[in-house]
Amino acid sequence: MMSKLIDKMNEILRHEWTGVAQYSQAGFVISGHWRQVFAEMFFDSAEESFGHAKLVGEKISALGSVPTVERNAVKQSQNLDEILQFSLEFEQKAVEYYSAAIGLAEEMGDRALVIFLEDILKEEQEGVDEITKLMRDKIASGSGKKGATKAG
């Protein structure tokens, strides 16, 4: 059971490393009149992903395993709507990963680890909620690629 949990936490860590790169890239490339509104938000999100990566990596190490240095493919665009869609998908996937890890920690009876993961899950869900609000007009009009779902 512990190895399954470590595998899930390393999957989370890969995802958070991806977030550092993907959100940083979005902050770099956003231009035009939306730059002042969104660049800082994307850089803040990159910092949040790094903070989560640090927490998860430290926990993996504390559990006696080796944290991954790998990341997943980065989705890139210079189109704000696409960047926001990628961001929403990223945050939804994070909610999915953390929820699965919480389930494994609950099965092991590790209440402290459940709380640790729930604290991060709360921030990930806030990201889903915030991006969903930003995209509300797109989602409501059906011009978004898919509707937002509130997971977790």
Side-chain angles (χ1 to χ4, degrees), residues 48-149:
E48 181 178 285
S49 284
F50 179 74
H52 293 168
K54 185 175 183 229
L55 289 170
V56 172
E58 289 284 2
K59 184 58 77 174
I60 291 167
S61 183
L63 293 171
S65 194
V66 178
T68 187
V69 296
E70 303 295 320
R71 68 169 168 78
N72 301 318
V74 173
K75 293 183 178 181
Q76 299 181 67
S77 177
Q78 291 180 296
N79 176 283
L80 178 59
D81 290 336
E82 286 183 353
I83 292 171
L84 288 172
Q85 182 62 43
F86 295 158
S87 299
L88 179 60
E89 292 167 2
F90 177 86
E91 297 295 330
Q92 288 171 327
K93 183 59 80 174
V95 166
E96 177 186 317
Y97 287 155
Y98 281 99
S99 296
I102 288 167
L104 293 170
E106 286 173 339
E107 287 178 33
M108 291 176 49
D110 190 335
R111 185 71 186 131
L113 184 56
V114 168
I115 293 168
F116 169 83
L117 294 165
E118 284 176 343
D119 286 346
I120 302 172
L121 173 63
K122 179 182 177 285
E123 292 180 5
E124 298 295 356
Q125 183 59 55
E126 288 168 356
V128 169
D129 294 346
E130 190 61 32
I131 296 168
T132 298
K133 288 186 277 185
L134 287 171
M135 296 180 66
R136 183 161 286 140
D137 292 342
K138 294 274 180 220
I139 293 168
S141 69
S143 63
K145 290 180 184 164
K146 62 182 177 184
T149 59

Side-chain angles (χ1 to χ4, degrees), residues 6-27:
I6 296 294
D7 289 347
K8 181 55 69 178
M9 290 181 70
N10 266 314
E11 186 175 28
I12 289 169
L13 185 54
R14 268 190 306 281
H15 189 71
E16 295 293 4
W17 286 137
T18 304
V20 172
Q22 186 166 310
Y23 281 125
S24 295
Q25 181 68 1

